[in-house]
Amino acid sequence: MKPAPFSFVAPESLDEVVSALAEHGDDARVLAGGQSLVPLMNLRLARPEVLVSINRCHELDYIRLADDRLVVGALVRQIDAETSPLVQAECPLLATALPHVGLPATRNRGTVCGSLAHCDPLAELPAVALALEAELVLTSAAGERRVPAHDFFVTEMTTCIEPGEVVSAAAFRRQDPSERSALHEVSNGGHAFPVGGVALRWASADGVCTMARIAAFGVGSVAQRLVDAENALVGSDLGPAAIAAAVEAARNAVDPTGDIHADADYRRHLVGVLLERGLLESEAP
Protein backbone atom coordinates (compact mmCIF):
# COMPACT_ATOMS: atom_id res chain seq x y z
CA MET A 1 0.00 0.00 0.00
CA LYS A 2 1.35 3.38 -1.01
CA PRO A 3 -0.13 6.86 -0.70
CA ALA A 4 -1.01 9.01 -3.68
CA PRO A 5 1.72 11.54 -4.59
CA PHE A 6 1.95 14.56 -2.30
CA SER A 7 4.20 17.50 -1.50
CA PHE A 8 5.75 17.95 1.95
CA VAL A 9 6.58 21.12 3.89
CA ALA A 10 7.97 21.37 7.42
CA PRO A 11 7.58 24.88 8.87
CA GLU A 12 9.44 25.78 12.05
CA SER A 13 6.93 28.18 13.60
CA LEU A 14 3.17 28.39 14.06
CA ASP A 15 3.07 31.49 11.85
CA GLU A 16 4.72 29.52 9.06
CA VAL A 17 2.31 26.62 9.59
CA VAL A 18 -0.79 28.79 9.18
CA SER A 19 0.79 30.56 6.20
CA ALA A 20 1.31 27.20 4.49
CA LEU A 21 -2.25 26.16 5.28
CA ALA A 22 -3.59 29.46 3.95
CA GLU A 23 -1.63 28.97 0.74
CA HIS A 24 -2.79 25.42 0.05
CA GLY A 25 -6.32 25.50 1.54
CA ASP A 26 -8.37 22.33 1.11
CA ASP A 27 -5.42 20.54 -0.51
CA ALA A 28 -3.38 20.54 2.72
CA ARG A 29 -3.45 18.31 5.80
CA VAL A 30 -1.53 18.78 9.04
CA LEU A 31 0.90 16.03 10.04
CA ALA A 32 2.01 15.55 13.65
CA GLY A 33 2.29 11.92 14.75
CA GLY A 34 0.67 10.52 11.63
CA GLN A 35 -0.66 7.44 13.45
CA SER A 36 -4.13 7.96 11.98
CA LEU A 37 -3.46 10.00 8.86
CA VAL A 38 -0.69 7.89 7.32
CA PRO A 39 -2.66 4.59 7.33
CA LEU A 40 -5.56 6.41 5.65
CA MET A 41 -3.17 7.78 3.04
CA ASN A 42 -1.70 4.34 2.46
CA LEU A 43 -5.21 3.01 1.82
CA ARG A 44 -5.86 6.09 -0.35
CA LEU A 45 -8.86 6.95 1.76
CA ALA A 46 -7.13 10.30 2.32
CA ARG A 47 -5.40 12.04 -0.59
CA PRO A 48 -3.94 15.35 0.54
CA GLU A 49 -1.85 17.10 -2.07
CA VAL A 50 0.30 18.77 0.59
CA LEU A 51 1.36 17.58 4.03
CA VAL A 52 2.21 20.38 6.46
CA SER A 53 4.35 18.83 9.20
CA ILE A 54 4.38 20.59 12.58
CA ASN A 55 7.16 18.37 13.95
CA ARG A 56 9.75 21.16 13.80
CA CYS A 57 7.39 23.66 15.41
CA HIS A 58 8.71 23.27 18.94
CA GLU A 59 6.65 26.17 20.30
CA LEU A 60 3.67 23.78 20.19
CA ASP A 61 5.33 21.22 22.47
CA TYR A 62 4.18 22.27 25.93
CA ILE A 63 1.91 21.38 28.84
CA ARG A 64 1.04 24.28 31.11
CA LEU A 65 -1.61 25.76 33.37
CA ALA A 66 -3.71 28.77 32.42
CA ASP A 67 -6.30 29.77 35.03
CA ASP A 68 -8.76 26.87 35.36
CA ARG A 69 -7.33 25.04 32.33
CA LEU A 70 -4.59 22.53 31.61
CA VAL A 71 -3.38 23.44 28.13
CA VAL A 72 -1.75 20.80 25.92
CA GLY A 73 0.07 22.00 22.82
CA ALA A 74 -0.42 20.38 19.43
CA LEU A 75 2.97 18.67 19.41
CA VAL A 76 2.68 16.96 22.81
CA ARG A 77 2.99 13.21 22.32
CA GLN A 78 0.45 11.02 24.04
CA ILE A 79 3.16 9.18 25.98
CA ASP A 80 4.52 12.49 27.33
CA ALA A 81 1.07 13.58 28.49
CA GLU A 82 0.51 10.15 30.02
CA THR A 83 3.65 10.40 32.16
CA SER A 84 3.39 14.13 32.94
CA PRO A 85 3.10 14.86 36.68
CA LEU A 86 1.14 18.00 35.77
CA VAL A 87 -1.45 16.01 33.81
CA GLN A 88 -1.70 13.41 36.58
CA ALA A 89 -2.25 16.11 39.21
CA GLU A 90 -4.57 18.46 37.33
CA CYS A 91 -6.49 16.17 34.94
CA PRO A 92 -6.42 12.63 36.35
CA LEU A 93 -9.16 11.56 33.93
CA LEU A 94 -6.90 12.39 30.98
CA ALA A 95 -4.00 10.57 32.64
CA THR A 96 -6.24 7.54 33.24
CA ALA A 97 -7.43 7.46 29.62
CA LEU A 98 -4.10 7.77 27.82
CA PRO A 99 -2.79 4.22 28.56
CA HIS A 100 -5.89 2.92 26.74
CA VAL A 101 -4.91 4.75 23.53
CA GLY A 102 -3.30 2.28 21.15
CA LEU A 103 0.09 0.79 21.97
CA PRO A 104 3.10 2.48 23.60
CA ALA A 105 4.77 2.52 20.17
CA THR A 106 1.91 4.54 18.68
CA ARG A 107 1.65 6.79 21.74
CA ASN A 108 5.34 7.61 21.31
CA ARG A 109 4.42 9.38 18.05
CA GLY A 110 0.71 10.11 18.30
CA THR A 111 -0.32 13.46 19.76
CA VAL A 112 -3.19 14.37 22.05
CA CYS A 113 -4.45 17.08 19.72
CA GLY A 114 -4.03 14.83 16.68
CA SER A 115 -6.38 12.23 18.16
CA LEU A 116 -8.95 14.94 18.88
CA ALA A 117 -8.67 16.35 15.37
CA HIS A 118 -9.02 12.89 13.82
CA CYS A 119 -12.35 12.39 15.66
CA ASP A 120 -12.54 8.61 15.46
CA PRO A 121 -15.82 7.51 17.10
CA LEU A 122 -13.97 4.64 18.81
CA ALA A 123 -11.24 6.85 20.28
CA GLU A 124 -11.09 7.61 23.99
CA LEU A 125 -9.77 11.18 23.91
CA PRO A 126 -12.78 12.90 22.30
CA ALA A 127 -14.99 11.54 25.10
CA VAL A 128 -12.42 12.66 27.67
CA ALA A 129 -12.45 16.12 26.10
CA LEU A 130 -16.23 16.24 26.47
CA ALA A 131 -16.15 15.07 30.09
CA LEU A 132 -13.43 17.61 30.90
CA GLU A 133 -15.30 20.40 29.07
CA ALA A 134 -12.27 21.04 26.90
CA GLU A 135 -11.83 23.90 24.48
CA LEU A 136 -9.97 23.39 21.21
CA VAL A 137 -7.74 26.26 20.13
CA LEU A 138 -7.91 26.68 16.34
CA THR A 139 -5.33 28.94 14.74
CA SER A 140 -5.28 30.31 11.19
CA ALA A 141 -3.80 33.24 9.31
CA ALA A 142 -6.90 35.20 10.40
CA GLY A 143 -6.21 34.64 14.09
CA GLU A 144 -7.33 32.28 16.84
CA ARG A 145 -10.69 30.93 17.94
CA ARG A 146 -11.60 28.68 20.85
CA VAL A 147 -14.28 26.06 20.29
CA PRO A 148 -15.93 24.04 23.07
CA ALA A 149 -15.52 20.30 22.59
CA HIS A 150 -19.28 19.77 22.20
CA ASP A 151 -19.22 22.06 19.15
CA PHE A 152 -15.90 20.80 17.80
CA PHE A 153 -16.86 17.15 17.22
CA VAL A 154 -19.43 16.89 14.40
CA THR A 155 -19.65 13.27 13.26
CA GLU A 156 -17.39 10.37 12.33
CA MET A 157 -13.92 11.74 11.53
CA THR A 158 -15.44 15.18 11.00
CA THR A 159 -14.88 18.29 13.10
CA CYS A 160 -15.57 21.99 12.73
CA ILE A 161 -11.99 22.71 11.62
CA GLU A 162 -12.11 25.08 8.64
CA PRO A 163 -9.62 25.05 5.74
CA GLY A 164 -6.53 26.96 6.80
CA GLU A 165 -6.93 26.13 10.51
CA VAL A 166 -4.80 23.95 12.75
CA VAL A 167 -5.59 22.66 16.24
CA SER A 168 -2.78 24.46 18.04
CA ALA A 169 -3.79 23.37 21.56
CA ALA A 170 -6.43 21.67 23.68
CA ALA A 171 -7.42 23.32 26.97
CA PHE A 172 -8.90 20.84 29.46
CA ARG A 173 -10.74 21.94 32.58
CA ARG A 174 -8.63 21.29 35.67
CA GLN A 175 -10.20 18.82 38.07
CA ASP A 176 -10.82 19.77 41.66
CA PRO A 177 -9.03 17.44 44.10
CA SER A 178 -12.41 16.46 45.56
CA GLU A 179 -13.67 15.16 42.21
CA ARG A 180 -13.85 11.53 41.23
CA SER A 181 -13.32 10.34 37.68
CA ALA A 182 -13.14 7.13 35.69
CA LEU A 183 -12.81 5.69 32.23
CA HIS A 184 -14.13 2.22 31.48
CA GLU A 185 -14.22 0.44 28.14
CA VAL A 186 -14.58 -3.02 26.66
CA SER A 187 -12.53 -4.24 23.72
CA ASN A 188 -12.10 -7.54 21.91
CA GLY A 189 -8.71 -8.12 23.49
CA GLY A 190 -5.25 -6.63 23.53
CA HIS A 191 -5.07 -3.07 22.27
CA ALA A 192 -7.84 -3.40 19.70
CA PHE A 193 -10.24 -0.51 19.31
CA PRO A 194 -12.90 -0.63 22.02
CA VAL A 195 -16.41 -1.86 21.40
CA GLY A 196 -17.61 1.02 23.57
CA GLY A 197 -16.72 3.03 26.62
CA VAL A 198 -17.61 5.78 29.06
CA ALA A 199 -15.59 8.66 30.53
CA LEU A 200 -17.00 10.40 33.56
CA ARG A 201 -16.26 12.78 36.40
CA TRP A 202 -18.42 13.86 39.29
CA ALA A 203 -18.34 15.59 42.66
CA SER A 204 -20.42 15.50 45.81
CA ALA A 205 -20.77 17.46 49.02
CA ASP A 206 -22.59 16.44 52.20
CA GLY A 207 -23.76 13.26 50.51
CA VAL A 208 -25.31 15.03 47.50
CA CYS A 209 -23.96 14.95 43.93
CA THR A 210 -23.15 18.52 42.90
CA MET A 211 -21.68 17.93 39.43
CA ALA A 212 -21.56 15.17 36.83
CA ARG A 213 -20.05 15.04 33.35
CA ILE A 214 -20.48 11.83 31.37
CA ALA A 215 -19.43 11.06 27.80
CA ALA A 216 -19.69 7.86 25.77
CA PHE A 217 -17.60 6.65 22.85
CA GLY A 218 -17.88 3.77 20.40
CA VAL A 219 -21.68 3.81 20.55
CA GLY A 220 -22.47 6.26 17.77
CA SER A 221 -20.97 8.27 14.94
CA VAL A 222 -19.17 10.56 17.39
CA ALA A 223 -18.41 10.78 21.10
CA GLN A 224 -21.34 12.33 22.95
CA ARG A 225 -22.22 13.92 26.29
CA LEU A 226 -24.94 12.05 28.16
CA VAL A 227 -26.68 15.09 29.63
CA ASP A 228 -29.84 13.29 30.78
CA ALA A 229 -27.72 10.81 32.70
CA GLU A 230 -25.82 13.69 34.29
CA ASN A 231 -29.08 15.33 35.34
CA ALA A 232 -30.24 12.08 36.93
CA LEU A 233 -27.20 12.16 39.22
CA VAL A 234 -26.97 15.84 40.15
CA GLY A 235 -28.88 16.52 43.34
CA SER A 236 -29.09 12.82 44.20
CA ASP A 237 -27.41 10.80 46.91
CA LEU A 238 -25.67 8.65 44.26
CA GLY A 239 -27.51 5.69 45.67
CA PRO A 240 -28.86 2.67 43.77
CA ALA A 241 -32.02 4.45 42.58
CA ALA A 242 -30.09 7.44 41.23
CA ILE A 243 -27.54 5.24 39.50
CA ALA A 244 -30.32 3.13 37.98
CA ALA A 245 -31.98 6.29 36.64
CA ALA A 246 -28.69 7.49 35.17
CA VAL A 247 -28.08 4.09 33.54
CA GLU A 248 -31.52 4.14 31.93
CA ALA A 249 -31.04 7.71 30.72
CA ALA A 250 -27.64 6.83 29.25
CA ARG A 251 -29.04 3.87 27.34
CA ASN A 252 -31.92 5.95 26.00
CA ALA A 253 -29.55 8.68 24.81
CA VAL A 254 -27.29 6.60 22.57
CA ASP A 255 -28.09 5.31 19.10
CA PRO A 256 -25.39 2.73 18.33
CA THR A 257 -25.02 0.64 15.21
CA GLY A 258 -23.99 -2.99 14.99
CA ASP A 259 -20.95 -4.53 13.34
CA ILE A 260 -18.94 -7.76 13.47
CA HIS A 261 -17.71 -6.89 16.98
CA ALA A 262 -21.04 -6.13 18.69
CA ASP A 263 -24.63 -5.44 17.77
CA ALA A 264 -26.52 -2.25 18.64
CA ASP A 265 -28.37 -3.76 21.62
CA TYR A 266 -25.13 -4.95 23.19
CA ARG A 267 -23.52 -1.53 22.84
CA ARG A 268 -26.58 0.19 24.32
CA HIS A 269 -26.53 -2.22 27.27
CA LEU A 270 -22.77 -1.77 27.64
CA VAL A 271 -23.03 1.99 28.15
CA GLY A 272 -25.16 1.45 31.23
CA VAL A 273 -22.93 -1.29 32.62
CA LEU A 274 -19.78 0.82 32.27
CA LEU A 275 -21.43 3.92 33.72
CA GLU A 276 -22.57 1.97 36.79
CA ARG A 277 -19.16 0.36 37.11
CA GLY A 278 -17.44 3.73 37.01
CA LEU A 279 -19.68 5.22 39.68
CA LEU A 280 -19.37 2.23 42.01
CA GLU A 281 -15.71 1.27 41.61
CA SER A 282 -13.84 4.57 41.33
CA GLU A 283 -12.15 6.18 44.25
CA ALA A 284 -11.32 9.82 44.83
CA PRO A 285 -7.97 10.80 43.29
Side-chain angles (χ1 to χ4, degrees), residues 162-233:
E162 298 288 345
E165 290 184 325
V166 60
V167 179
S168 56
F172 300 90
R173 187 175 297 281
R174 296 165 64 183
Q175 294 182 246
D176 188 272
S178 65
E179 285 184 22
R180 299 186 182 191
S181 58
L183 184 136
H184 288 282
E185 65 178 39
V186 168
S187 71
N188 285 322
H191 289 270
F193 276 112
V195 171
V198 173
L200 63 153
R201 50 185 274 261
W202 71 100
S204 59
D206 299 323
V208 176
C209 179
T210 57
M211 180 277 295
R213 297 292 183 269
I214 306 167
F217 57 97
V219 292
S221 63
V222 70
Q224 67 179 99
R225 274 272 300 272
L226 304 180
V227 178
D228 289 343
E230 297 170 357
N231 292 337
L233 294 177

Side-chain angles (χ1 to χ4, degrees), residues 111-150:
T111 61
V112 172
C113 290
S115 178
L116 298 174
H118 187 58
C119 194
D120 192 312
L122 298 175
E124 294 87 357
L125 295 189
V128 170
L130 290 171
L132 287 174
E133 302 172 273
E135 293 180 342
L136 285 298
V137 182
L138 306 182
T139 305
S140 70
E144 179 182 290
R145 65 186 181 113
R146 298 173 74 97
V147 181
H150 60 79

